Amino acid sequence: MDTGKKAYVVAIIIQLIYTGMYVVSKAAFNHGMSTFVFIFYRQAAATVLLLPLAIVLERRNAPPMSFWLFLKLFFYALLGNTLSMNLYNISLKYTSATVASATSNSVPVVTFFLAVLLRLEVVRLRSPSGMAKAAGVALCLAGVLTIALYTGPSMSPVNHHRAFAGAAEHHEASGGGGSKGRWIKGTFLMLLSNTTWSLWIVLQASLLKEYPNKLLSTLVQCLLSTAQSFLLAVAVERDPAAWKLRLDVGLLAVGYSGFVVTGVSFYLQAWCIEKRGPVFLAMSNPLGLLLTIFCSSFFLGEIVRLGSLLGSALLVAGLYSVLWGKSKDHLHHQHQPPPPQQQQPSLEAPKHRSTGSICSDGDGDDDDEEKQEVKVEQRKGEVEETQLKDLFAMEASPLRHQVG
């Protein structure tokens, strides 16, 4: 199988992994598992996975970490992991797996909007790409409002005999996620969770310049989030029974989210981005939405409402509109001519780097070749850094689960 076909297979596997996460997590909450306790165990499992990897791979080249940088990581862990993930799971408990998957398509759009507010992105409304980006933001907002405020007729579940039947099944089946007020609150909590995560994405770009070691940065934030989540869970959950893990769907959800999503999906996403780029991976997000709609209906018996389907379609349209605008900008920058000073040949004879004396023609050619090689290596480094930032920006929802 060639690389192109492998990339499609890997993208499908990634979406299947996240579909499983949405369904299994929702099933655990339906069985009464505390969302706060779940986050603590999930972060702890991810830390257990990442710690030996960091020791093996980074024990010799770990850069020093200042106290100010540690405080930054503490704040980023609080914002992007502890706060965002707890809001996310509370909203998942109030709504449905379909809503969680649908709103994940809004993360690149929200990230772009925050980057515009912080003047990290520029929107030229008179250009086709600028209009596409603005339309994407508007479609995203329309999609969220549609999911929250419009219910519409319901679609019967595919399977009436649930694989994850639990104590909360009648409650879920009767309202597709609870009363109208809980549904609206859950939808906007999901949007708030995505917004805090998108803000983390924007801040992470500057963090990677200050501390470029990605694995250690992720490990420290995950470790700090584990401690933060523990303190939050202790403050909220006073019943010792809520902390017990049994051989049920709750333990499955913790292990699946902590190890499969954190470990397997991280590797697969890194491979897919290296081979096909971040936009290709982001374009596969709607496939995960379709899989989640089917699996949540089949395994959980969730009743999918017309409002959720219409809102999901608007969110996907907003995602594609922003991605199209970004791709047009990228092509425009690629076709821009180099600056005038790079076009004009140098009138000065090349000089040797060490002595400063004028080189012969042969030495000058060798020097130019060496400089060209250095430039190629620099460009490769810049491409890798850009791909990493795009991974944060385009696959934000998966990264939330990678580090968690």
Side-chain angles (χ1 to χ4, degrees):
M1 186 183 296
D2 60 19
T3 302
K5 293 180 180 178
K6 283 183 181 178
Y8 283 100
V9 173
V10 169
I12 293 172
I13 293 174
I14 291 170
Q15 296 306 324
L16 283 171
I17 288 174
Y18 288 113
T19 297
M21 183 203 63
Y22 293 129
V23 173
V24 174
S25 300
K26 178 64 174 175
F29 301 150
N30 287 357
H31 278 70
M33 185 174 191
S34 167
T35 58
F36 299 98
V37 174
F38 174 80
I39 290 297
F40 163 69
Y41 282 127
R42 178 178 164 180
Q43 293 293 82
T47 303
V48 169
L49 175 67
L50 292 174
L51 184 59
L53 290 176
I55 293 174
V56 172
L57 300 176
E58 304 292 347
R59 65 182 184 276
R60 294 181 179 177
N61 57 351
M65 182 180 297
S66 65
F67 180 72
W68 175 244
L69 179 60
F70 181 81
L71 288 180
K72 282 186 179 180
L73 291 173
F74 181 88
F75 172 73
Y76 294 161
L78 181 64
L79 178 69
N81 294 292
T82 307
L83 179 60
S84 178
M85 293 176 69
N86 276 285
L87 288 173
Y88 169 84
N89 279 349
I90 293 172
S91 64
L92 179 59
K93 190 173 183 179
Y94 285 171
T95 56
S96 67
T98 300
V99 173
S101 180
T103 54
S104 69
N105 292 281
S106 71
V107 176
V109 183
V110 176
T111 304
F112 164 75
F113 182 68
L114 289 175
V116 171
L117 292 180
L118 296 175
R119 297 184 178 180
L120 300 176
E121 282 273 359
V122 178
V123 179
R124 297 177 177 85
L125 293 177
R126 295 183 179 180
S127 66
S129 62
M131 289 188 288
K133 293 175 186 177
V137 174
L139 288 169
C140 175
L141 179 60
V144 171
L145 291 175
T146 301
I147 292 175
L149 303 178
Y150 176 64
T151 303
S154 60
M155 299 172 57
S156 298
V158 177
N159 177 25
H160 293 277
H161 302 283
R162 308 184 191 189
F164 297 118
E169 64 178 343
H170 175 72
H171 167 75
E172 291 295 323
S174 62
S179 65
K180 184 68 174 178
R182 284 168 58 89
W183 182 271
I184 294 174
K185 180 167 44 172
T187 303
F188 283 104
L189 282 176
M190 187 74 73
L191 180 61
L192 181 59
S193 169
N194 290 340
T195 302
T196 56
W197 177 249
S198 299
L199 181 59
W200 180 89
I201 295 168
V202 176
L203 295 173
Q204 197 75 5
S206 62
L207 174 66
L208 290 174
K209 294 180 180 178
E210 184 177 357
Y211 195 79
N213 194 303
K214 300 174 288 295
L215 181 57
L216 288 180
S217 172
T218 302
L219 172 62
V220 172
Q221 291 183 70
C222 193
L223 181 62
L224 291 172
S225 178
T226 302
Q228 294 165 356
S229 301
F230 175 75
L231 295 177
L232 180 60
V234 168
V236 175
E237 296 294 341
R238 302 298 178 89
D239 184 9
W243 293 81
K244 293 181 180 179
L245 288 177
R246 303 173 181 84
L247 292 176
D248 58 9
V249 69
L251 181 61
L252 174 64
V254 170
Y256 185 90
S257 300
F259 293 103
V260 178
V261 178
T262 302
V264 177
S265 70
F266 183 87
Y267 172 78
L268 292 178
Q269 286 178 89
W271 182 90
C272 193
I273 286 176
E274 180 185 2
K275 301 299 182 182
R276 295 298 301 270
V279 174
F280 172 80
L281 197 55
M283 295 281 282
S284 67
N285 269 4
L287 172 62
L289 173 59
L290 296 176
L291 292 171
T292 303
I293 291 174
F294 175 80
C295 291
S296 62
S297 180
F298 188 87
F299 292 107
L300 301 176
E302 284 187 351
I303 299 175
V304 181
R305 305 281 180 173
L306 179 61
S308 296
L309 295 179
L310 292 177
S312 300
L314 289 171
L315 286 169
V316 171
L319 168 68
Y320 281 159
S321 183
V322 169
L323 291 181
W324 183 86
K326 294 287 289 181
S327 65
K328 294 293 288 185
D329 279 349
H330 181 67
L331 291 174
H332 175 72
H333 291 314
Q334 277 188 333
H335 290 90
Q336 277 187 336
Q341 60 269 24
Q342 294 182 8
Q343 293 178 339
Q344 297 176 356
S346 175
L347 299 178
E348 184 179 352
K351 295 182 179 180
H352 197 281
R353 287 193 299 272
S354 58
T355 63
S357 59
I358 297 178
C359 302
S360 64
D361 292 341
D363 290 339
D365 292 339
D366 292 339
D367 233 14
D368 289 341
E369 290 178 2
E370 291 179 8
K371 289 180 181 179
Q372 290 296 328
E373 291 177 1
V374 171
K375 288 182 179 179
V376 169
E377 292 299 324
Q378 288 176 345
R379 287 173 183 171
K380 287 182 179 178
E382 290 173 358
V383 169
E384 291 174 357
E385 183 181 357
T386 302
Q387 288 181 343
L388 174 66
K389 291 177 182 177
D390 286 340
L391 170 61
F392 284 110
M394 296 300 182
E395 274 299 295
S397 189
L399 256 190
R400 174 192 300 142
H401 312 304
Q402 288 167 11
V403 299

